[in-house]
Amino acid sequence: MEGNSSSGAFPPSPHFTVADVIVVVAYFLLNLAVGIWSSCRVNRNTLSGYFLAGKNVAWWPIGASLFASSEGSGLFIGLAGSGAAGGIAVAGFEWNATYVLLALAWVFVPVYISSGIVTMPEYLQRRFGGERIRVYLSVLSLLLSVFTKISTDLYSGALFVQVCLGWNLYLSTVLMLAVTAVYTIAGGLAAVIYTDTLQTCIMIMGAAILAVMAFDKIGGYRNLEEAYLNAVPATIIPNTSCHLPRPDALHLFQAPSSDDLPWTGMTFGLSVLATWYWCTDQVIVQRSLSARDLNHAKAGSILASYLKMLPLMVIIVPGMISRILYPDAVGCVDPKECARVCGAPVGCSNIAYPKLVIELMPSGLRGLMIAVMMAALMSSLTSIFNSSSTLFTMDIWRRIRQEADEKELLLVGRIVTVVLVVVSVVWIPILQSSSSGQLYIYIQSVTSYLAPPVTAVFLLAVFWKRANEPGAFWGLMVGLAVGLIRMSLDFTHPKRPCGTPDDRPSLVKDVHYLHFAALLCLLTAAVVVGISLLTRPPAASQVENMTWWTLRPERHLSSPPLSVLKSLPENRPPGMAEEESPEGRTWNCACSPPVAKSEIPPAKTLGDRVPSPFWARVCGLNAVLLLCVNVFFYAYFA
């Protein structure tokens, strides 16, 4: 909220009943129990056990974790708010994921496994050689994680707790962070994936219950369009149309000239951003790399894609219903009125989902929905904490301390998680003083202006054998420079309030950020291709097993043991790192007494489990069915 305390902007909330408290406490206890149980299932004292869950995770936890990691509290608040403000077009962000999730499992994961990597910067380092690309991408990923993903989820989760409970934002968020960090630090990726599975069940169940109650309130789906188009606030700005709902609110595709979500941007620009998030982002790819074999990775992507079809009816449409039921609050347009309602003069659509919970949910179920939002926040944070600690440990610390043994790297990974928790807590007051509208614009712009160059480089690295290090590096630099120019123009020329003339530069006013993302990706690709053709081709060791065209045969497609890799020379073949040191003793928190490392049987890798041809065909048929379902929904709502 804008420069004011969080306490006075909202009306008093209903007090928690005993039933609500019991539900929330039961949720926390169950969450911790699942985290501890899953931590005991794998050996967390090897790098493979801690960072990749022993590469022994089945398809259903992977699919649930992929869904839960992407559906943080930021998306619960943001999707419902966008639905309230502009209709169902925002569902394209969810449904577009189907295509890139399938690309992840069928294209990118085989390449990553073939190259024997753990982190995405490590892949680019092995593919191109040198250190500068890997270091740049590691730092960029860490910054994006801390200042966009964590900040968004913390703001949204805090907003929900504030609206629904009236609790002190700082203390409640610190409590959630503390519980999250305990099992992330202790259990590694296994704890994250299995608790994500629990979160997914809770989120879907709670959101579905609220959606049914919301539909019942307006008399069913058949009344949605008429009621939404009539949801006009009492206080409006004269001689403007800002208060009127969009007439195309129930259409997935909006006109290419739309300043909201044009279909051209949602098709091309969004695909660029989705490829970055689902196929090159550490948080997501790390889950697929932990699969037992390729069939489990594919099935996990299919399950996550089906789950991504749900938010339209359980999150976005309930946001629209919230505007129908409470137009003066959720649909306010007058800055003074909005500041009175929610403390944010730019608009109050972000309170759409919390408002429904307060007004519709009975005692007990209200506690369930608080647990849902805590689940969304914590699942997203655990994913970010674990993946960010992996990035720092494997890509930065290992460069600083080349002689670090496995025990030291595990310790550093846990310390980094603690540091991220501290940074997140320090960031809370900044979020409290931020405008909700400006924060959303900030998140969107940072992603749109920094991610497309990374997408272009990864696509060329995987599909074009001629791409080399100078081309990739300078493509990233040119893309970064152009993206920062556009981002600085956005911050210095913010969108004008309703009723005032728009005098922003043409590059900002006329080029939608999703269109800009597609253009930036093409520009970066052109730079990479041009410089690569003008310089020496990559060495044979940087291409073999590193591209789609040079994969190892599937029967040999196993990831090399994850050990304490020393700084690899530029042309050293992947997988030829030194073996793990057998010295030292492991730490098995509460699960078993310390044992010598040599006593621990080595975890099976993907290559030890040859994918079943039968289940490979089953996955392929399910992927085709999924595409048919996705196309049908697109056509029905277009």
Side-chain angles (χ1 to χ4, degrees), residues 529-541:
V529 171
I531 295 181
S532 294
L533 292 175
L534 294 174
T535 52
R536 289 189 304 172
S541 62

Side-chain angles (χ1 to χ4, degrees), residues 119 231 368-369:
T119 68
L368 174 66
M369 288 310 299

Side-chain angles (χ1 to χ4, degrees), residues 47 51 116-127 130-142 145 280-283 286 289 386-402 404 409 412-413 416 458 562-568:
L47 294 179
F51 290 128
I117 55 93
V118 180
T119 68
M120 297 303 95
E122 182 184 5
Y123 170 73
L124 291 186
Q125 190 270 337
R126 293 193 178 197
R127 171 65 178 83
E131 297 289 336
R132 54 185 182 176
I133 293 179
R134 180 173 183 173
V135 172
Y136 165 76
L137 196 61
S138 298
V139 174
L140 178 65
S141 300
L142 284 172
S145 293
T280 74
D281 185 64
Q282 183 68 25
V283 171
Q286 193 171 351
L289 290 180
N386 183 268
S387 299
S388 297
S389 65
T390 305
L391 272 176
F392 183 88
T393 303
M394 306 304 290
D395 290 324
I396 296 178
W397 187 259
R398 209 170 54 183
R399 304 298 117 187
I400 299 173
R401 289 263 304 167
Q402 296 184 13
L409 292 179
V412 169
V416 168
F458 267 92
L562 179 58
S563 57
V564 187
L565 301 174
K566 302 300 180 183
S567 182
L568 294 176

